């Protein structure tokens, strides 16, 4: 450990403490088992374990265990249970109803300790660097030791674990004969392993571990080697039996795990021990735990390539499992020919068109032939036997010719070790090379360069999961955005999830919904289901149900198995249907408010004040009449006296120690927030002094003892559980010392134990009914308990009646009262809440400079809540659309810009014969019939049309306005249209008299023209899979009367009588300069700005 950093040492010291907790938790479990089962004893037998598993685990859905944990519980041997297993059993097991109040209270107190222990364990497990700085270490050590002591551990024993000497090899009595015999057995066992005689090797390793007088260092090696042999034996047996699940303690993988853990216990800082545990977890398919072990190994051996490869592989597999890649049919890459064949079947393309298109691809990209051969060998074909080595060879050949698809596919095979050696670094390089290629073919309009977007998506996944590269969700979002822009629909779903959760990007539910919808409209079933889920949370229930149904129809397995989704939607519908329709949009705002609220993570961050307080400033305000400043000055004077005495003397007399205790305790009693220590070292030395004086006081009742206890509590406020337990004894010894009740109430409040806060506050107020801080704590507890808001309001009034006007909690009290009013059922609640909020803002103006700007932790949610309630109270007769917001909608911008890019290419094709565009069209899969009148037809809008399914909506009529004209009529007249909701969709007219094409685009289908589409046909575009409205029956178009025509329509917002004209093309009109600027900047007017 000499070359290991102190931060890594800190981590492993905390891990040793957690390991020590297992014995305490086992003892607690056995006591409860006896208490819950009429005195029965847990005897660690399989009979006991199987009975418990059948009667408790199986029946209790709250107890969630992995397959390995279930096996360990059913085995009955509690010595094999880890911290996560024990905490899961203790926190989720139901207690019998026969317990009395005192027993239930004891269970609750124990559970609170177990929850804190679990949270610390999780925090350490999710620490990817496995390093803890000194400040964090001291806080976690204090919290963890307090928990262990409360559970029955001995403080003096725990202190020994804090010293670096624990990493040194322990002094042991060594038997040289045993050492030689063990070494001989290890050599024989290792050879047996090499010879494939794994059972023989395991027997020999076992004998070596049992010999007495062998150093733990060596025994750890034997256990690790034995775990390796067990895994090899399992693999050999699995090949013959095909067994992969684990439900038997005799399973070689389970036994290998116990051996590997034993090796880790014997040498807690041996990187190979942690690596071995990780490899066993990999074999058990528990990759989260494998990653945790590999990270520990890497912290101990940062340059070891074997560890890095194992870690990358587990990250890779876990990511695939979490993405449920095996359930996603779109995750399997397809060649260009396969894509064209799919389109032929899905969209009714004729074989001649497919051959013509494919021939064009082959001519422009000769390396495509190698890619096609690679696919054939990868998957097998009628005349080709599956051969990954040959597939890799052809993909590599294509990659050498600069083919992005070849690069991408070779990266895939390298990532999975198919046909080539598994190497995540090589895969990373190939993905980066493919992503650097142009996303579109330069000579083929709007034709994607296969492999580019796929590689960009793969890079996004790698940054999201930390494979080879450092995990960075911000960079992942950038890659996802690029890939989605270039046509990879999966990336849209991944990007939307980041925006939904605020991971790597700023939380933006609107953007998440937009991107989900874009991906869903392009057929991604994951996006459909995720969109349905998000819409449910945002109370947009009708569309949530629509997208859920579409996800099920698209074959999304999770959606199909989520049978409770519709019941959940219906339950939410029943809750909100009593509200006015006008209030429903506010459900979204409520969700965002709660998503954005942050909670404090330690008691120190919950305290007020800056690092140090300016005494001269405080004295100036005190001399001007500020009571709060005077109080803080008094506290600072005591604190300064204590620090001066402590720091000016190398050795302290008893009188000096007593004086320090007096001044420091007075500081905490008067105003603890001024006690800001210059350094951690001084704070720790003061803690040592307090411990020394406490031992000197022994059990006597004295002012010195009371002062010293006050100092102990004040110095350890970062460990609320420790302080609460300590104060319980202090209150018994000094029942009239109100500070002990004040601090106990505050610490319980920090832990959100509001019943206890209220209890402690009331006890303290019996000593002094006008004690300011206790009145505030009482009011806060009443508010959070939500039992009686009127009582909470009165408690705040009692505090405000006594507190100085510039007390730091006065503004918060007004804001809290505002929240109480909003939560109460009163006609005047909004009015009263608004008044309280205004008083809070006025009170802020009286605050001392050291408390400004004022902490917004209560003010901000109060303000948001007021805004919501105010909005709900206003009865809106009609909801108007915010025109500016609509015009900046990314989905609208994308649709219109894509249509303009298409028209731009068609215009270029006229003037540049060398530019290739594909001039043929495809026969519709579904025939579109028409009718002679609108009588009996139902109205339909773009929102009502399923954007992922080819379908003719018979007996419906779609009314649209043309907002983007066509510049060519070959192969179709492509228009941009807008419906009554101002949603946009491209419309393609195919069946029209070809000799009238120019007349139609210039005289009939003009900007501002309104028309009806009878039996509209939603058609999935064969080139980009995006939905368009197809017109295959020209007579299905019914033009609306000329009187409906929007004269001189603004090209941007759609208003009539636009007066500004584009100075270049002389065609586009705008109602304002702002619209003209927006059309040029956002909608890329330059693409279609052609002089007549």
């Amino acid at each position: 450990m000499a070359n290991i950093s102190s931060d890594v040492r800190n981590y492993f010291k905390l891990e040793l403490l957690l390991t020590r907790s297992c014995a305490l938790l086992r003892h607690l479990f056995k006591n409860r088992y006896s208490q819950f089962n009429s005195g029965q004893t847990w005897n660690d037998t399989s009979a006991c374990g199987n009975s418990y598993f059948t009667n408790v685990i199986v029946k209790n859905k709250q107890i969630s265990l992995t397959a390995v944990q279930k096996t360990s519980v059913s085995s009955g041997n509690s010595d094999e249970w880890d911290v996560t297993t024990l905490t899961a059993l203790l926190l989720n097991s139901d207690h019998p109803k026969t317990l009395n109040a005192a027993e239930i209270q004891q269970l609750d107190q124990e559970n609170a300790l177990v929850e804190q222990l679990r949270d610390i364990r999780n925090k350490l497990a999710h620490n990817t660097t496995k390093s803890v700085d000194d400040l964090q270490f001291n806080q976690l050590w204090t919290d963890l030791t307090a928990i262990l002591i409360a559970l029955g551990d001995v403080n003096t024993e725990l202190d020994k674990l804090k010293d670096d000497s624990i990493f040194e090899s322990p002094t042991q009595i060594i038997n040289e004969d045993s050492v030689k015999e063990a070494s001989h057995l290890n050599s024989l066992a290792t050879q047996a392993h090499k010879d494939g005689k794994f059972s023989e090797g395991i027997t020999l390793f076992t004998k070596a571990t049992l010999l007495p007088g062998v150093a733990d260092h060596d025994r750890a090696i034997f256990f690790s080697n034995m775990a390796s042999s067990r895994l090899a034996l399992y693999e050999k047996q699995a090949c013959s039996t095909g067994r992969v699940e684990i439900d038997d303690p005799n399973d070689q993988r389970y036994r290998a795990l116990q051996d590997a853990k034993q090796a880790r216990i014997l040498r807690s800082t041996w990187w190979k021990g942690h690596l071995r545990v990780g490899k066993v977890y990999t074999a058990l398919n528990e990759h989260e735990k494998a990653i945790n072990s590999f990270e520990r190994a890497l912290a101990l051996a940062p340059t070891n390539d074997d560890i890095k490869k194992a870690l990358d592989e587990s990250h890779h597999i876990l990511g695939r499992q979490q993405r449920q890649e095996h359930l996603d049919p779109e995750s399997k890459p397809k060649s260009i020919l396969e894509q064209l064949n799919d389109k032929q079947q899905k969209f009714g393309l004729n074989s001649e068109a497919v051959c013509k298109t494919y021939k064009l691809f082959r001519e422009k990209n000769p390396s495509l032939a190698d890619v096609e051969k690679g696919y054939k060998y990868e998957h097998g074909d009628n005349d080709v036997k599956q051969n990954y080595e040959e597939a890799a060879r052809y993909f590599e050949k294509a990659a050498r010719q600069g083919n992005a698809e070849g690069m991408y596919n070779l990266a895939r095979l390298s990532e999975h070790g198919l046909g080539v050696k598994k190497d995540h670094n090589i895969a990373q390089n190939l993905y980066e090379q493919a992503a650097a290629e142009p996303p579109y073919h330069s000579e083929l309009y709007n034709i994607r360069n296969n492999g580019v977007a796929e590689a960009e998506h793969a890079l996004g996944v790698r940054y999201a999961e930390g494979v080879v590269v450092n995990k960075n969700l911000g960079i992942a979002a950038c890659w996802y955005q690029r890939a989605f822009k270039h046509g990879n629909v999966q990336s849209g779903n991944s990007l939307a999830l980041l925006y939904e959760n605020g991971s790597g990007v700023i939380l933006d539910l609107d953007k998440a919904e937009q991107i989900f919808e874009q991906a869903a409209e392009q057929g991604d079933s994951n996006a459909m289901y995720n969109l349905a889920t998000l819409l449910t949370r945002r109370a947009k229930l009708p569309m949530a149900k629509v997208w859920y149904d579409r996800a099920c129809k698209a074959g999304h397995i999770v959606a199909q198995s989520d049978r409770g989704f519709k019941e959940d939607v219906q339950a939410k519908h029943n809750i909100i249907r009593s509200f006015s329709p006008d209030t429903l949009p506010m459900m979204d705002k409520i969700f965002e408010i709660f998503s954005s609220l942050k909670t404090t993570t330690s008691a120190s961050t919950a305290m007020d004040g800056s690092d140090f307080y300016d005494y001269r400033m405080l004295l100036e305000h005190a001399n001007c009449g500020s009571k709060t400043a005077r109080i803080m000055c008094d506290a600072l004077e005591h604190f300064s006296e204590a620090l001066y005495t402590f720091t000016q003397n190398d050795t302290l007399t008893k009188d000096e120690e007593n004086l320090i205790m007096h001044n420091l305790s007075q500081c905490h009693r008067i105003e603890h927030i001024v006690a800001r220590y210059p350094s951690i070292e001084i704070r720790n030395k003061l803690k040592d002094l307090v411990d020394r004086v406490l031992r000197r006081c022994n059990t006597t009742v004295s002012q010195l003892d009371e002062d010293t206890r006050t100092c102990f509590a004040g110095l350890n406020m970062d460990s609320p559980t420790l302080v609460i337990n300590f104060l319980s004894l202090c209150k018994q010894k000094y029942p009239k010392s109100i500070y002990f009740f004040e601090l106990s109430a505050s610490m319980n409040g920090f832990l959100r134990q509001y019943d206890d806060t209220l209890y402690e506050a009331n006890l303290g107020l019996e000593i002094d009914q006008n004690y300011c801080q206790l009145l505030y704590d009482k009011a806060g507890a009443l508010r959070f308990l939500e039992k009686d808001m009127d009582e909470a309001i009165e408690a705040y009034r009692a505090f405000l009646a006594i507190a100085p006007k510039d007390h730091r909690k006065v503004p918060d009290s007004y804001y809290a009262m505002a929240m109480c009013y909003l939560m109460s059922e009163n006609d005047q609640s909004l009015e009263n809440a608004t008044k309280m909020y205004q008083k809070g803002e006025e009170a802020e103006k009286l605050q001392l400079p050291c408390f400004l700007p004022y902490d917004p932790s209560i003010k901000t949610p109060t303000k948001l809540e007021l805004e919501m309630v105010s909005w709900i109270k206003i009865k809106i007769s009609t909801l108007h659309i915010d025109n500016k917001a609509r015009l900046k909608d990314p989905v609208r911008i994308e649709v219109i810009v894509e249509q303009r890019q298409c028209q731009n290419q068609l215009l270029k094709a006229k003037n540049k014969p060398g530019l290739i565009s594909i001039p043929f069209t495809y026969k519709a899969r579904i025939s579109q019939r028409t009718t002679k009148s609108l009588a009996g037809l139902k109205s339909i809008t773009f929102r009502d049309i399923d954007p992922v399914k080819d379908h003719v909506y018979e007996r419906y009529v779609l009314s649209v306005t043309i907002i983007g004209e066509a510049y060519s009529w070959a192969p179709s007249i492509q228009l941009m249209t807008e419906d009554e909701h101002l949603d946009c969709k491209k419309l393609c007219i195919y069946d029209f008299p070809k000799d009238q094409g120019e007349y139609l685009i210039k005289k009939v289908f003009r900007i501002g023209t309104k028309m009806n589409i009878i039996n509209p046909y939603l058609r999935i575009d064969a080139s980009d899979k995006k939905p368009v409205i197809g017109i295959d029956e020209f007579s299905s178009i019914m033009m609306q009367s000329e009187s409906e025509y929007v004269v001189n329509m603004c090209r941007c917002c759609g208003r009539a009588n636009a007066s500004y004209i584009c100075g270049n093309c002389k065609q586009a009109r705008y109602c304002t300069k702002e619209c003209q600027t927006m059309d040029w900047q956002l909608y890329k007017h330059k693409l279609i700005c052609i002089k007549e």
Side-chain angles (χ1 to χ4, degrees):
M1 287 290 287
N3 59 338
I4 300 300
S5 70
S6 61
D7 288 354
V8 173
R9 290 170 181 258
N10 287 343
Y11 173 85
F12 282 97
K13 289 176 185 178
L14 293 169
E15 278 290 325
L16 286 174
L17 273 188
L18 279 174
T19 302
R20 191 178 179 91
S21 71
C22 285
L24 301 171
L25 295 176
R26 276 194 291 272
H27 180 70
L28 183 59
F29 172 81
K30 290 182 177 181
N31 284 345
R32 288 195 183 180
Y33 179 81
S34 177
Q35 182 182 20
F36 293 179
N37 294 278
S38 304
Q40 292 183 32
T41 302
W42 183 275
N43 56 15
D44 282 346
T45 63
S46 59
C48 190
N50 283 321
S51 174
Y52 183 77
F53 184 82
T54 303
N55 297 315
V56 178
I57 304 296
V58 175
K59 295 179 180 179
N60 190 337
K61 295 181 179 180
Q62 290 183 328
I63 303 178
S64 178
L65 301 176
T66 66
V68 174
Q69 290 172 329
K70 290 177 181 177
T71 302
S72 68
V73 172
S74 62
S75 75
N77 187 357
S78 61
D79 288 335
E80 296 176 353
W81 300 353
D82 57 16
V83 174
T84 53
T85 304
L86 287 160
T87 54
L89 297 179
L90 289 167
L91 293 175
N92 298 299
S93 296
D94 297 326
H95 63 72
K97 297 180 180 180
T98 55
L99 298 184
N100 58 42
E103 290 172 325
I104 293 174
Q105 185 178 10
Q106 183 182 353
L107 288 179
D108 291 340
Q109 291 172 351
E110 292 170 349
N111 281 349
L113 294 170
V114 175
E115 282 181 0
Q116 293 170 47
L117 182 68
R118 179 196 59 191
D119 292 343
I120 293 174
R121 179 266 165 200
N122 291 342
K123 185 174 184 178
L124 289 175
H126 296 140
N127 179 340
T128 57
T129 62
K130 306 307 182 203
S131 61
V132 180
D133 62 43
D134 290 339
L135 181 63
Q136 189 182 24
F137 170 75
N138 287 326
Q139 180 180 325
L140 288 173
W141 182 274
T142 302
D143 291 345
L144 197 48
T145 52
I147 295 168
L148 297 183
I149 291 169
L151 289 173
D153 213 327
V154 182
N155 192 20
T156 53
E157 292 297 318
L158 297 177
D159 287 341
K160 296 176 184 177
L161 300 177
K162 204 171 185 179
D163 193 82
D164 281 348
S165 61
I166 60 168
F167 298 122
E168 299 171 2
S169 298
T171 303
Q172 294 179 263
I173 299 174
I174 302 300
N175 184 313
E176 293 299 333
D177 292 336
S178 293
V179 171
K180 290 179 182 179
E181 177 64 14
S183 178
H184 177 63
L185 289 169
N186 182 55
S187 298
L188 293 175
T190 302
Q191 187 59 50
H193 180 100
K194 291 178 180 178
D195 296 339
K197 302 175 182 178
F198 305 120
S199 295
E200 181 181 335
I202 292 168
T203 301
L204 293 168
F205 282 132
T206 303
K207 290 180 179 179
T209 63
L210 296 175
L211 288 172
V214 177
D216 288 348
H217 175 282
D218 294 328
R219 293 178 65 233
I221 295 174
F222 305 152
F223 275 109
S224 177
N225 290 343
M226 183 156 59
S228 179
S229 290
R230 290 194 188 280
L231 285 184
L233 179 59
Y234 159 74
E235 290 173 5
K236 182 178 179 181
Q237 293 172 342
C239 289
S240 59
T241 63
R243 180 183 176 84
V244 292
E245 69 278 359
I246 179 170
D247 54 12
D248 182 2
N250 293 317
D251 187 299
Q252 291 299 333
R253 291 169 298 170
Y254 181 78
R255 298 178 71 180
L257 181 62
Q258 306 312 316
D259 292 337
K261 284 185 175 181
Q262 187 60 37
R264 189 176 65 185
I265 291 170
L266 291 169
R267 289 179 68 183
S268 62
T269 55
W270 181 40
W271 66 266
K272 278 191 177 181
H274 294 284
L275 178 63
R276 184 70 68 201
V277 173
K279 287 189 173 182
V280 178
Y281 273 124
T282 298
L284 289 163
N285 199 30
E286 292 198 5
H287 290 281
E288 282 192 80
K289 291 195 173 185
I291 288 169
N292 189 25
S293 292
F294 291 144
E295 287 172 345
R296 290 172 179 168
L298 192 62
L300 296 167
T303 61
N304 189 288
D305 288 336
D306 289 338
I307 303 173
K308 292 177 182 177
K309 288 177 182 178
L311 180 59
D312 285 337
E313 181 65 8
S314 277
H315 274 305
H316 175 60
I317 296 173
L318 179 64
R320 291 174 60 194
Q321 291 174 346
Q322 291 176 336
R323 295 193 306 274
Q324 298 180 317
E325 202 172 88
H326 58 292
L327 300 178
D328 186 2
E330 296 296 323
S331 63
K332 175 181 174 291
K334 294 180 180 179
S335 67
I336 290 178
L337 184 58
E338 287 175 319
Q339 293 177 40
L340 289 171
N341 287 331
D342 285 350
K343 289 178 180 179
Q344 180 182 358
Q345 296 177 7
K346 187 173 182 179
F347 306 118
L349 310 189
N350 58 67
S351 56
E352 182 182 350
V354 170
C355 292
K356 189 174 181 179
T357 305
Y358 184 60
K359 183 179 179 182
L360 187 61
F361 274 101
R362 291 284 292 268
E363 289 174 356
K364 295 297 175 182
N365 192 355
S367 61
L368 186 60
D370 294 315
V371 175
E372 294 295 342
K373 287 180 180 177
Y375 278 119
K376 283 190 175 183
Y377 277 109
E378 181 183 1
H379 305 299
D381 204 351
N382 293 334
D383 57 341
V384 175
K385 185 177 180 180
Q386 187 182 54
N387 187 319
Y388 289 118
E389 287 81 3
E390 283 297 300
R393 189 171 68 84
Y394 278 108
F395 286 142
E396 185 178 12
K397 184 179 177 183
R400 286 200 302 269
Q401 299 174 64
N403 186 294
E405 194 172 3
M407 299 172 192
Y408 167 71
N409 285 305
L410 183 59
R412 273 194 312 105
L413 296 186
S414 299
E415 193 170 52
H416 294 89
L418 300 174
V420 291
K421 183 181 178 181
K422 180 180 287 189
D423 193 318
H424 289 288
N425 286 296
I426 290 177
Q428 177 76 12
N429 292 333
L430 287 166
Y431 283 137
E432 289 175 351
Q433 291 174 32
E437 293 295 312
Y440 294 94
H441 289 285
S442 57
E443 297 181 344
L444 297 172
Y445 162 64
N446 205 28
I447 300 299
R448 285 203 311 115
N449 187 2
N450 253 27
V452 176
E454 290 78 6
E456 290 169 335
H457 175 73
L459 288 170
V461 169
R462 284 174 156 251
Y463 275 101
E465 296 169 357
V467 178
V468 173
V469 295
N470 291 327
K471 184 173 181 177
N472 189 317
L473 293 174
I475 297 177
C478 293
W479 281 114
Y480 286 145
Q481 190 167 12
R482 282 183 57 174
F484 187 45
K485 181 181 179 181
H486 296 150
N488 186 281
V489 185
Q490 291 173 283
S491 282
N493 178 67
S494 300
L495 181 61
L497 286 170
L498 294 182
Y499 276 107
E500 181 182 7
N501 298 311
S503 303
V505 293
I506 296 173
L507 184 143
D508 190 332
L509 298 181
D510 288 331
K511 196 160 190 175
E513 184 179 328
Q514 288 168 0
I515 299 172
F516 273 138
E517 189 168 356
Q518 287 175 279
E521 287 185 347
Q522 294 177 53
D524 188 87
S525 60
N526 287 320
M528 295 177 197
Y529 180 64
N530 290 329
L531 176 59
T533 304
L534 177 58
L535 290 172
T536 303
R537 293 163 65 189
R538 302 188 79 178
K540 300 179 181 181
L541 304 183
M543 286 308 298
K545 186 177 181 301
V546 167
W547 279 111
Y548 170 74
D549 289 338
R550 289 172 182 173
C552 291
K553 289 178 182 177
H556 194 275
I557 296 176
V558 177
Q560 291 171 342
S561 61
D562 188 1
R563 298 179 180 178
F565 185 90
K566 289 187 177 180
E567 287 79 359
D568 184 38
V569 170
Q570 186 59 46
K572 286 182 170 63
H573 174 71
N574 292 338
I575 292 171
I576 67 173
R577 66 181 177 181
S578 58
F579 291 96
S580 163
D582 299 337
T583 67
L584 296 184
M586 287 305 294
M587 301 295 291
D588 183 34
K589 190 168 185 180
I590 294 170
F591 173 71
E592 290 193 67
I593 288 170
F594 283 101
S595 298
S596 63
L597 290 179
K598 306 293 182 185
T599 57
T600 53
T601 56
S602 69
S604 61
T605 61
M607 302 306 164
D608 297 292
S610 57
D611 290 335
F612 297 98
Y613 291 96
D614 186 339
Y615 180 77
R616 286 175 295 181
M617 178 274 295
L618 290 171
L619 187 59
E620 182 181 342
H621 281 79
N623 292 335
C624 292
S626 169
K627 293 182 179 180
T628 300
R630 171 54 61 196
I631 291 170
M632 294 182 70
C633 281
D634 292 345
L636 262 176
E637 289 165 5
H638 283 291
F639 183 65
S640 300
E641 285 290 330
L643 273 188
Y644 180 81
T645 306
F646 182 71
T647 56
Q648 293 302 309
N649 300 284
D650 293 332
T651 58
L652 297 170
T653 65
K654 287 186 179 180
D655 288 341
E656 287 171 335
E657 289 180 348
N658 297 350
L659 182 61
I660 293 170
M661 294 300 102
H662 167 72
N663 280 312
L664 192 56
S665 63
Q666 283 298 97
C667 166
H668 281 285
R669 291 186 183 106
I670 296 169
E671 181 53 276
H672 70 86
I673 65 170
V674 305
R676 303 289 173 173
Y677 298 93
S679 68
I680 295 292
E681 182 183 5
I682 289 177
R683 185 185 180 114
N684 289 338
K685 285 183 177 179
L686 272 169
K687 285 185 177 181
D688 293 339
L689 173 60
V690 168
D691 289 341
R692 190 162 66 247
V693 177
L694 272 178
R695 288 194 293 272
R696 176 154 59 86
C697 292
N698 203 353
T699 59
T700 59
V701 174
S702 65
Q703 186 61 52
L704 175 62
D705 180 65
E706 183 181 339
D707 289 345
T708 309
R709 289 175 179 274
T710 300
C711 293
F712 180 93
L715 282 164
N716 289 282
M717 280 195 288
D718 276 346
S719 305
T721 304
L722 169 67
V723 172
I724 289 171
N725 292 331
F726 177 76
L727 289 174
S728 63
L729 299 174
C730 297
K731 288 179 291 184
Q732 294 175 20
K733 196 171 184 180
Y734 301 99
K736 296 299 181 180
S737 179
I738 198 167
Y739 177 72
F740 292 147
F741 292 93
E742 175 201 329
L743 191 53
S744 184
S746 296
M747 292 294 97
N748 277 296
F750 175 75
L751 294 176
R752 299 177 183 176
Q753 298 167 178
Y754 301 119
D755 282 316
D756 292 335
T757 300
L758 184 60
Y759 177 75
E760 298 292 344
N762 283 330
L763 286 178
L765 289 170
E766 290 178 5
I767 301 170
D768 182 354
Q769 62 181 358
N770 293 324
Y771 196 86
C772 210
Q773 185 61 41
L774 285 173
L775 287 170
Y776 181 79
D777 289 338
K778 176 181 178 179
L782 289 168
R783 177 166 72 92
F784 285 114
L785 288 171
E786 299 182 8
K787 293 179 179 178
D788 188 337
M789 289 298 108
D790 290 337
E791 188 179 358
I793 291 169
E794 287 306 312
Y796 279 117
R797 290 192 189 282
F799 165 75
L800 290 169
I802 290 174
K805 299 301 180 185
D806 59 353
H807 190 287
R808 60 194 171 91
K809 292 298 184 183
V810 167
D812 271 355
S813 296
Y814 283 118
Y815 296 137
M817 287 172 71
M819 292 289 278
C820 291
Y821 276 119
L822 290 175
M823 295 169 69
S824 62
E825 298 180 1
N826 190 314
D827 293 338
Q828 301 298 314
S829 355
L830 179 59
E831 181 181 348
N832 291 332
T834 304
K835 288 179 181 178
M836 291 301 107
Y837 184 82
Q838 291 169 348
K839 286 187 176 183
E841 290 190 312
E842 289 298 317
E844 281 190 38
K845 298 175 183 178
L846 302 176
Q847 289 292 294
L848 295 171
C850 57
F851 296 130
L852 295 176
Y854 196 69
D855 179 11
S857 56
I858 298 181
K859 180 181 181 179
T860 299
T862 305
K863 183 181 180 181
L864 292 170
E865 186 80 9
L866 271 172
E867 288 176 357
M868 282 190 298
V869 176
S870 298
W871 193 94
I872 292 172
K873 291 290 183 181
I874 298 172
K875 300 299 182 180
I876 303 175
S877 57
T878 57
L879 291 173
H880 68 278
I881 298 174
D882 185 338
N883 199 38
K884 289 186 179 180
R886 170 180 69 91
L887 296 178
K888 293 180 181 179
D889 178 6
V891 177
R892 179 186 179 88
I893 293 170
E894 181 184 5
V895 171
I896 293 176
V897 170
E898 282 183 355
Q899 194 262 352
R900 290 183 175 183
Q901 287 173 337
C902 175
Q903 297 303 310
N904 177 268
Q905 290 294 327
L906 292 173
L907 286 168
K908 286 182 179 179
K910 286 183 179 180
N911 302 323
K912 296 181 181 179
L915 183 68
I916 297 172
S917 63
I918 302 175
F920 48 81
T921 185
Y922 310 126
K923 183 179 179 181
R925 294 178 64 231
I926 307 172
S927 60
Q928 181 184 24
R929 294 179 296 179
T930 187
T931 184
K932 294 182 179 180
S933 75
L934 300 177
L937 299 183
K938 298 179 182 178
S939 176
I940 195 171
T941 66
F942 291 143
R943 295 181 185 181
D944 304 318
I945 294 174
D946 187 345
V948 298
K949 182 181 179 183
D950 269 27
H951 186 69
V952 174
Y953 290 84
E954 295 190 354
R955 308 300 300 167
Y956 284 92
V957 60
L958 172 68
S959 298
V960 296
T961 303
I962 298 174
I963 62 170
E965 72 269 61
Y967 292 88
S968 173
W969 59 91
S972 62
I973 298 174
Q974 299 182 15
L975 306 170
M976 181 53 55
T977 61
E978 191 175 66
D979 68 2
E980 64 187 69
H981 294 304
L982 307 183
D983 294 327
C984 298
K985 196 80 72 180
K986 185 164 76 172
L987 186 146
C988 297
I989 304 172
Y990 295 96
D991 185 22
F992 59 90
K994 303 302 179 186
D995 58 347
Q996 296 184 29
E998 187 165 358
Y999 169 78
L1000 289 171
I1001 65 172
K1002 289 187 175 181
K1003 300 297 183 180
V1004 179
F1005 301 122
R1006 300 169 294 162
I1007 292 280
T1009 300
K1010 296 190 176 186
M1011 56 186 183
N1012 299 316
I1013 313 299
I1014 298 172
N1015 298 337
Y1017 174 22
L1018 190 286
R1019 183 172 178 175
I1020 306 300
D1021 193 295
S1023 61
D1024 59 12
K1025 295 185 180 180
K1026 293 184 178 180
V1028 299
I1029 300 299
I1031 308 295
D1032 292 301
E1033 179 60 55
F1034 191 67
S1035 60
S1036 66
I1037 301 175
M1038 295 186 69
M1039 308 303 295
Q1040 295 187 20
S1041 67
E1042 191 68 19
S1043 62
E1044 297 293 328
Y1045 174 68
V1046 182
V1047 180
N1048 294 333
M1049 188 175 82
C1050 175
R1051 187 66 63 101
C1052 184
C1053 71
R1055 290 179 183 172
N1057 302 315
S1059 57
Y1060 293 93
I1061 302 175
C1062 175
N1064 186 50
C1065 66
K1066 308 296 184 183
Q1067 297 180 57
R1069 287 181 171 270
Y1070 303 100
C1071 60
T1072 63
K1073 287 291 184 181
E1074 184 182 4
C1075 275
Q1076 186 172 9
T1077 301
M1078 190 180 296
D1079 195 44
W1080 275 85
Q1081 292 180 351
L1082 295 183
Y1083 292 97
K1084 312 298 181 187
H1085 175 70
K1086 185 177 180 180
L1087 292 168
I1088 55 171
C1089 190
I1090 308 296
K1091 290 183 179 180
E1092 282 289 312

